[in-house]
Amino acid sequence: MEKVRLTREKATLLITLYAKAEESRMPDSLLQDHYAAGAVARIDYDFSSLGMRRDEMIGLAMRAYTLDAWVREFIAAHPGATVLHLGCGMDSRVFRVDPPPGVNWFDVDYPDVIDLRRALYPPRSGYEMVGAPMSDLGWLSGIPTDKPVLVVAEGLFLYLSEDEVLPLLRTVTTQFPSGEVAFDAYSRMGLALASRNRMFRATGAVMRWSLDNPLDLEAQVPGLRLRDEQWVYEESDGRQWARYTWPARAAVWLMRRVRPLRRLGRLVRYRY
Ligand SMILES: C[S@@+](CC[C@H](N)C(=O)[O-])C[C@H]1O[C@@H](n2cnc3c(N)ncnc32)[C@H](O)[C@@H]1O
């Protein structure tokens, strides 16, 4: 068993990991993240103390599922791509997506998070883990610049300051010839609501960066062009919502119809 002493934004990885693990144990699982379940079983932590609700597990699995789909799409179009998975936590995206041998995949998070990751997940070819805070972009200079680069960050940017998000994105768009950036973004109201969530409050993490209008980022990061934006809970066939409890279904129904509510949380993808 691996002991964990994670605090603040690092501790939030336990929430997303547990959500993915538990959702994957449901008979109608969307994400099927069996690596997450394996990691949870090896971490010495009382996950039940999170008090996570089933609806929250499904919601976080949906967010991860859409980002996985975007990653798969990018890799299919660019089989020799580089993937920079930032704020990876214990997420097993590299195993879920299982990229072909031509892809170079880097999972990046704080050094102590990466230490835990190394203890829990096996190595694989074309895959590297990098321990670095997002305030120090030195590691980026070691990434080959001759391939299209996908940056994917799930549940990360909201914990960074604007002074960290913008230099990171500007460095990516200037250093690499072309690629995409995909992440979840929250309006100011969305961030205020999310920071009141009891599980996140218990970690002591501070949520900082919001994005009211995804087009604003185009002006702030030269070269970035919005390709897609999707409501966090969007799905084409309603099958996931049918798994929700009725109060959560009612909330989703309302959010779907009221525009400012739809903007609380989105998945965005940009090209450069
Ligand atoms: C909510 S967790 C998400 C983890 C993973 N992406 C997932 O979806 O399961 C946030 C992650 O961002 C990482 N993180 C937050 N701020 C960071 C920073 N300044 N530098 C590096 N990693 C950071 C945390 O350590 C944590 O692993």
Side-chain angles (χ1 to χ4, degrees), residues 84 140 149 151 167-177 181 272:
L84 306 179
L140 265 175
V149 167
V151 172
L168 166 63
L169 294 177
R170 286 176 188 145
T171 306
V172 167
T173 53
T174 41
Q175 187 169 320
F176 302 106
V181 182
Y272 61 89

Side-chain angles (χ1 to χ4, degrees), residues 194-269:
S195 56
R196 292 174 57 184
N197 175 290
R198 72 205 178 288
M199 290 185 296
F200 286 91
R201 262 205 334 248
T203 64
V206 178
M207 297 183 181
R208 295 186 177 86
W209 188 68
S210 59
L211 184 64
D212 282 334
N213 181 352
L215 288 172
D216 289 348
L217 208 53
E218 291 190 353
Q220 292 173 307
V221 183
L224 218 55
R225 288 285 164 267
L226 183 65
R227 171 178 173 191
D228 225 343
E229 74 175 282
Q230 182 172 321
W231 186 37
V232 170
Y233 301 107
E234 195 61 76
E235 49 144 349
S236 50
D237 57 12
R239 256 190 299 180
Q240 300 311 312
W241 296 351
R243 299 169 66 201
Y244 279 18
T245 56
W246 72 261
R249 241 184 278 172
V252 165
W253 185 89
L254 191 70
M255 287 166 90
R256 207 168 182 207
R257 276 153 190 84
V258 182
R259 244 173 161 237
L261 296 183
R262 275 181 75 104
R263 292 188 174 155
L264 295 175
R266 312 180 227 218
L267 295 172
V268 288
R269 127 164 104 154

Side-chain angles (χ1 to χ4, degrees), residues 9 43 47 76 91 101 109 111 124 167 171 184 215 241:
E9 67 269 32
I43 294 178
F47 285 92
D91 181 87
D109 208 301
R124 53 177 281 152
T171 306
D184 49 322
L215 288 172
W241 296 351

Side-chain angles (χ1 to χ4, degrees), residues 2 20 37 40 42 45 64 69 83 90 132 150 153 206 214 222 224 228 246 248 254:
E2 299 296 328
K20 291 166 190 173
V40 161
R42 292 183 52 205
Y45 177 79
V83 176
M90 293 304 127
L150 170 69
V206 178
L224 218 55
D228 225 343
W246 72 261
L254 191 70

